[in-house]
Structures are given as structure tokens and as C-alpha cells.
Amino acid sequence: MTTVSGRPREFDIDTALDQAVQIFWRQGYEGTAISDLAETLGINRPSLYAAFGNKEALFRKALDRYTATVTSYVQEAFEEPTARRVAERLMLGAADATTREGCPQGCMGVQGALAASVESDRIRYLLSDWRTAAQVDVQGRFERARSEGDLPPQVDPADLAAYVTTVMYGIAVRAASGATNAELRRTAAFAAQALPW
């Protein structure tokens, strides 16, 4: 039981964030109303505002939660011993994460601000920055591989990171369109075969 200002709260913050992830993932930022969030989380609007702030603040917290849970495969992939294995694991991980049982198809970070209005520009920019940061992290892992002599000199870490993340986000879009896990894993495996070394 979590408290705010000494008052007991009738819901667990982590559970509430997981529920918020699900609704934002399914409906996007703009398609999710405060009333949807309050109903899903099982609290009234004043309690929702007291716990999380406004809708944008809750979305930001939900995106952090999504990153720490659903996309944790990215950090796990970075632990693979070779750049090739990192790339393969990232692309296969995208196929698995975007087709998780009991979750919406696709990626919250890709779908969250689709068709967003001008009023939702901050969310669109937030998600663009989120995707860019992921690509920078992937590039950093490939730069490490190059410094360790694991990446051939003709393979540019930035180009490789752009390729891998483009495949990952493409997989997410196909998942949102109904592609199955098996189909997307075949796509990931095919993309891995095209790696230039």
C-alpha cells in the first residue's frame, strides 16, 4: 500500500503504471482520455491527478515503465558477447516484445503519438527523442564492439545502429498491423542474414 501526504492509497503505483502502459499502448496518447485512465486504474480523477499529475506526466511515467519492462531486452542484448549477436538479439527481441501475449500488438514508443494533434506535439517530440536515444545507445554498443576488434573496420557503427533500429521499428509497425510472432521472427532472422559481415 502506497501513501501520498500520509493518506493511504487504494492502489499500488507499479500496478497502476502497468495498467496505464496498457491503455496508452493500445489507444495512443491522444486516443486516451482522462476518464479512460481513471476507469482503468480504478480511481477517480482527483486521485489520479494527486498520484501522477496530469495526463502528460502520467504518459511520461508510463513510458519509463514500458522502457524498464517491455523493452528491457535491449539492455539484455547489449550483454551479448559479439556485435552480430547483439544485432540478432535486438531484432528478435523486437519481434517478441511487439507480440507479447496479453499485450497490445506493436510498440508504445512507435504508436503512442500517431496522428497526434498540435496540442500533443510535446508527446510526439518525447517519443521521437525516445527512439533517437535508443538508436544512440545501440550505436554506442557497436562502437564498443569496434574498439574491442569485434566489428570489422568497414562496418560503420552509426550505419549499423540505424539499420538495426529501422528493422526493429519496422517490426513494430508490422506487429501493429497483425503480423504474428513467427512471421516477425522470420523477418528478424532474414535481416540478420543481411548483416555485412
Side-chain angles (χ1 to χ4, degrees):
M1 184 83 59
T2 308
T3 63
V4 169
S5 303
R7 291 181 289 115
R9 186 189 310 271
E10 297 176 3
F11 64 97
D12 177 79
I13 291 287
D14 289 337
T15 300
L17 282 175
D18 288 338
Q19 292 169 330
V21 164
Q22 291 289 315
I23 192 166
F24 281 128
W25 189 354
R26 184 177 306 107
Q27 297 178 195
Y29 178 78
E30 199 163 83
T32 301
I34 289 291
S35 56
D36 297 330
L37 291 163
E39 182 179 343
T40 300
L41 274 56
I43 57 176
N44 60 32
R45 286 180 185 219
S47 296
L48 189 147
Y49 287 124
F52 299 109
N54 62 16
K55 177 179 160 183
E56 180 180 329
L58 177 52
F59 183 85
R60 288 174 180 273
K61 290 179 175 120
L63 183 62
D64 287 344
R65 180 75 172 172
Y66 176 84
T67 302
T69 56
V70 178
T71 68
S72 61
Y73 72 90
V74 174
Q75 293 302 317
E76 292 165 7
F78 290 168
E79 300 304 315
E80 292 289 344
T82 67
R84 175 173 280 279
R85 284 291 304 133
V86 169
E88 291 171 349
R89 180 94 179 262
L90 286 170
M91 292 185 288
L92 288 169
D96 292 341
T98 59
T99 56
R100 288 167 62 127
E101 189 173 339
C103 292
Q105 298 285 95
C107 171
M108 179 181 165
V110 172
Q111 294 164 229
L114 293 181
S117 66
V118 173
E119 292 78 22
S120 300
D121 274 349
R122 284 196 305 272
I123 297 302
R124 194 163 50 246
Y125 296 143
L126 168 70
L127 292 175
S128 177
D129 290 345
W130 181 83
R131 293 187 298 271
T132 298
Q135 183 171 327
V136 168
D137 289 346
V138 172
Q139 179 178 332
R141 177 59 183 88
F142 291 144
E143 286 170 350
R144 187 181 104 198
R146 169 172 274 179
S147 71
E148 293 170 348
D150 175 49
L151 196 64
Q154 75 274 15
V155 179
D156 181 80
D159 290 343
L160 181 57
Y163 171 76
V164 169
T165 54
T166 298
V167 171
M168 291 167 66
Y169 297 135
I171 283 171
V173 170
R174 286 193 60 218
S177 299
T180 67
N181 177 263
E183 290 169 337
L184 296 174
R185 286 183 69 86
R186 284 198 301 273
T187 297
F190 186 86
Q193 290 175 4
L195 292 170
W197 83 99

